[in-house]
Amino acid sequence: MPSSVLRPVRIAGRLLSAAAAVVGLVVVFLALIVLTDGAGSGLVAWAATLGVAIVAALWRGRRRPWRGRLVPFLPVVVAAALTASVCIPTVPTARRYPSALPFAATQHWSLATGSRVAVYHYPPAHAGTRHPVPLVYLNGGPVRGISVLDHRFLQLLARQGYDVYAYEQAGGGRSDLLSMDQYTISRSVRDLGAFVERLGQGRVDVLGFSSGAVVLTRALTSPRVAPHVHRAIIAEPGPMDGPTARITGHQGRPSARGIAPAMTGPRSTRVPRYAVTFGLMRLGLLSPDTGLVGQAEGDNAFTVADLGSDTASGYCAQDAHRIPVEDTARNFSFSPAASLRVQQTIKDSPSIAPQLRRSRTPAMLMIAECSSQVRQWEMAVLGDDPAIQRTQYMPGVGHHMWNGLDDNNQRAVAAVTAFLQDKPAPLPNYPTRADIPAFLRDHK
């Protein structure tokens, strides 16, 4: 074969060999990241990979002419540059807290548990209609700041005469961080009890949404916290314990997941360092306390757009092209590592059903028609809590029931206030415990 033909073939072969070497080194680096749990911001894995690569390049070039000995180092240089990007922070490593809200003053309370939480107070708009029992709101997440959309909903409740308090759970929003081992569902329950004690107004009504509803459900089983809860509203709960978390099943009517336009804006997952960290963390290959990216840095890096289809899953399919902006970039705060840690402690916890069956706190369960929660999670609460007095199946809304669309906020307010005032419900009491089998069969 003529040399003019062979030469391009040899060049192509060398390029493929070099590319394969780069890929191999990147794979070795990622494997070492997992094995070392990202120690030293990934530099331990990077140095080890680089050392192995240099030794291999020296071995491959030992019998080549001087210039030829440099060729095996080309993949080393490329791989070193690529993997170094995983080790270099691109956001501050000290926590940057969201800026102050323009419509609500932020207080900081130190709780008896050691948590220091950001607190928001919406006093009743009209003194003449003031209800005597304060209302405490537990937002979803877990370990997420309270969204602007939720703040607007709380303002509506205050206009109905409720003395509304909300706090961002430890590590979320403007609340102080905890060490990673302190993020547990039990700590969240203790913080609720400590918050009510710090409030000092006797028993309170509590509205818990999503993961906040899980905290509330578990609080109803606590001999120390449950006596402080006057009435409980459990809205769109996640799994309440380990056995429930292992239940698989169907969700509600179709949500907007997969059909809504992609979220716009910067994403941390487009940066190699955070794409690797959050990706391996979600796969369970890195611990929430990984040495690759610290908690504060991870919180600073995570953006609204990183939630992706999770936001769309909170809305009905018919709302896919009009999903409201839930939060502003300046207010948004979410801790992916701490959230995974709390969720893991729920999965690892034993059943709370025996304790929940002894609950005597009047409660209401709220369920969305297009819920993205597994129906069996919600029905487990209904089936095991004998003190649930009514269920409100909210038509035409997704997981985020108070979302500012149409009259959804007003309908949610009507359901909440009717229960708190022990007035007739605006919707039928459905499903009841007797309806659970049929509900699971018919509402897929």
Side-chain angles (χ1 to χ4, degrees):
M1 186 176 293
S3 59
S4 59
V5 176
L6 288 175
R7 187 174 182 182
V9 172
R10 292 194 192 102
I11 293 174
R14 289 169 184 169
L15 289 174
L16 287 174
S17 178
V22 170
V23 171
L25 289 173
V26 170
V27 170
V28 169
F29 170 74
L30 293 176
L32 289 173
I33 285 286
V34 172
L35 290 173
T36 62
D37 199 26
S41 195
L43 290 173
V44 172
W46 185 82
T49 303
L50 187 60
V52 170
I54 290 173
V55 170
L58 289 170
W59 177 261
R60 291 182 62 195
R62 71 191 187 282
R63 295 179 180 175
R64 298 185 182 187
W66 171 247
R67 291 185 179 178
R69 292 179 184 179
L70 298 178
V71 175
F73 283 90
L74 179 59
V76 177
V77 172
V78 174
L82 289 174
T83 53
S85 65
V86 178
C87 305
I88 302 172
T90 60
V91 299
T93 56
R95 183 71 176 105
R96 291 185 309 184
Y97 291 94
S99 55
L101 291 167
F103 50 81
T106 306
Q107 306 173 50
H108 283 91
W109 290 7
S110 295
L111 306 181
T113 56
S115 299
R116 187 170 181 269
V117 298
V119 181
Y120 309 92
H121 180 209
Y122 293 105
H126 305 290
T129 59
R130 179 172 184 146
H131 297 282
V133 181
L135 174 62
V136 174
Y137 177 64
L138 296 175
N139 66 299
V143 198
R144 179 177 175 175
I146 299 174
S147 70
V148 170
L149 211 57
D150 281 5
H151 277 291
R152 290 173 183 156
F153 178 68
L154 299 180
Q155 290 172 325
L156 286 179
L157 289 169
R159 291 181 196 135
Q160 297 296 314
Y162 291 92
D163 196 16
V164 181
Y165 290 84
Y167 69 94
E168 289 168 320
Q169 297 170 48
R174 297 164 185 82
S175 295
D176 286 5
L177 307 182
L178 300 174
S179 61
M180 194 58 65
D181 62 343
Q182 293 294 308
Y183 290 109
T184 66
I185 188 62
S186 298
R187 174 62 172 264
S188 299
V189 172
R190 293 196 303 273
D191 279 353
L192 172 59
F195 179 84
V196 175
E197 289 179 0
R198 173 73 168 72
L199 186 59
Q201 295 191 36
R203 294 201 298 165
V204 300
D205 295 324
V206 182
L207 166 59
F209 166 66
S210 193
S211 63
V214 176
V215 175
L216 176 56
T217 301
R218 295 181 69 99
L220 298 179
T221 71
S222 169
R224 297 191 62 179
V225 183
H228 298 289
V229 181
H230 177 253
R231 283 180 174 256
I233 301 173
I234 304 168
E236 281 287 285
M240 63 183 182
D241 53 27
T244 309
R246 289 187 285 273
I247 295 176
T248 58
H250 47 260
Q251 301 174 342
R253 306 293 186 195
S255 75
R257 180 188 287 270
I259 57 177
M263 295 187 70
T264 59
R267 296 174 183 262
S268 68
T269 47
R270 289 175 180 161
V271 179
R273 178 171 174 80
Y274 308 112
V276 169
T277 302
F278 298 145
L280 293 178
M281 203 178 288
R282 292 202 67 171
L283 292 172
L285 298 176
L286 286 181
S287 71
D289 202 16
T290 176
L292 185 55
V293 171
Q295 177 189 174
E297 182 189 348
D299 293 3
N300 293 339
F302 204 88
T303 68
V304 177
D306 285 324
L307 293 174
S309 60
D310 285 350
T311 297
S313 69
Y315 296 83
C316 290
Q318 63 263 27
D319 296 326
H321 295 280
R322 59 168 193 158
I323 293 175
V325 176
E326 293 191 346
D327 216 346
T328 65
R330 297 183 66 187
N331 182 66
F332 177 77
S333 170
F334 180 70
S335 177
S339 180
L340 287 173
R341 164 75 180 163
V342 172
Q343 292 178 62
Q344 189 59 51
T345 64
I346 295 173
K347 294 175 183 177
D348 293 340
S349 68
S351 173
I352 64 169
Q355 294 87 354
L356 188 58
R357 291 178 189 131
R358 295 194 290 269
S359 176
R360 296 296 178 266
T361 304
M364 177 175 75
L365 178 65
M366 296 180 72
I367 304 173
E369 180 181 18
C370 310
S371 177
S372 57
Q373 305 290 65
V374 174
R375 288 300 193 194
Q376 283 84 345
W377 297 347
E378 302 160 333
M379 295 301 100
V381 177
L382 178 60
D384 289 328
D385 186 352
I388 291 180
Q389 297 179 345
R390 66 177 70 167
T391 303
Q392 297 288 271
Y393 177 73
M394 308 294 291
V397 294
H399 179 60
H400 205 155
M401 292 183 285
W402 37 86
N403 52 38
L405 297 176
D406 303 327
D407 63 344
N408 293 339
N409 281 13
Q410 289 72 23
R411 291 194 293 129
V413 166
V416 168
T417 57
F419 174 70
L420 294 180
Q421 297 174 37
D422 200 21
K423 293 182 177 179
L427 296 169
N429 178 26
Y430 175 80
T432 65
R433 290 176 193 83
D435 296 323
I436 290 177
F439 181 81
L440 291 175
R441 183 185 66 243
D442 298 339
H443 291 79
K444 298 181 180 179

